[in-house]
Amino acid sequence: MANDLWEYSPTCGHRTGTDLAGWSVMATDGFVGRVDGHSEEAGDAWLVLDGGAWIFGKLLIPASAVLRCEADEKTIRLALTRGQVEDAPQHLSEADRADGQYRQDVAAYFGEAARSR
């Protein structure tokens, strides 16, 4: 993952202005859901993952977790396993993204996930 948690890696293939909503999201070991929302704001880029029945609720995934964007297939590949995605802090509402403690929890979780790879 990139050094800055909330930035896309320059090598992941993300193109500014691309609407990622509805794209498939793949962990290193399989499908984990679809993009429900996203931001590409500098220093605050993220995906909201809707895991459907597999993960009850939604998850906020920092942009640095994106390994590759495959525009032809409308697929995002993460540098995370299904287990790492499943164990991530749940994203309950849009207000969570502005909550400092929630953001710290997300940053701590994904920072640890990046170090374990």
Side-chain angles (χ1 to χ4, degrees):
M1 283 194 245
N3 287 335
D4 186 346
L5 199 62
W6 304 101
E7 293 285 343
Y8 287 100
S9 162
T11 60
C12 78
H14 175 264
R15 293 185 187 129
T16 303
T18 302
D19 183 7
L20 303 175
W23 283 35
S24 296
V25 180
M26 303 291 290
T28 57
D29 53 352
F31 178 78
V32 289
R34 298 203 178 274
V35 176
D36 185 62
H38 65 97
S39 168
E40 55 189 26
E41 184 177 325
D44 192 28
W46 42 261
L47 306 171
V48 172
L49 172 70
D50 183 346
W54 180 68
I55 300 172
F56 183 72
K58 297 178 182 179
L59 304 172
L60 184 68
I61 308 289
S64 62
V66 175
L67 187 61
R68 220 170 39 250
C69 293
E70 299 172 346
D72 292 345
E73 298 175 14
K74 292 193 175 186
T75 299
I76 293 175
R77 298 197 180 274
L78 301 177
L80 301 165
T81 65
R82 287 173 53 100
Q84 288 173 314
V85 172
E86 184 176 25
D87 292 342
Q90 190 171 17
H91 177 69
L92 301 173
S93 70
E94 288 184 29
D96 286 336
R97 291 194 299 265
D99 180 80
Q101 184 60 54
Y102 173 75
R103 292 293 288 250
Q104 287 177 0
D105 293 345
V106 170
Y109 178 80
F110 284 103
E112 182 62 33
R115 286 186 291 281
S116 71
R117 293 205 45 88

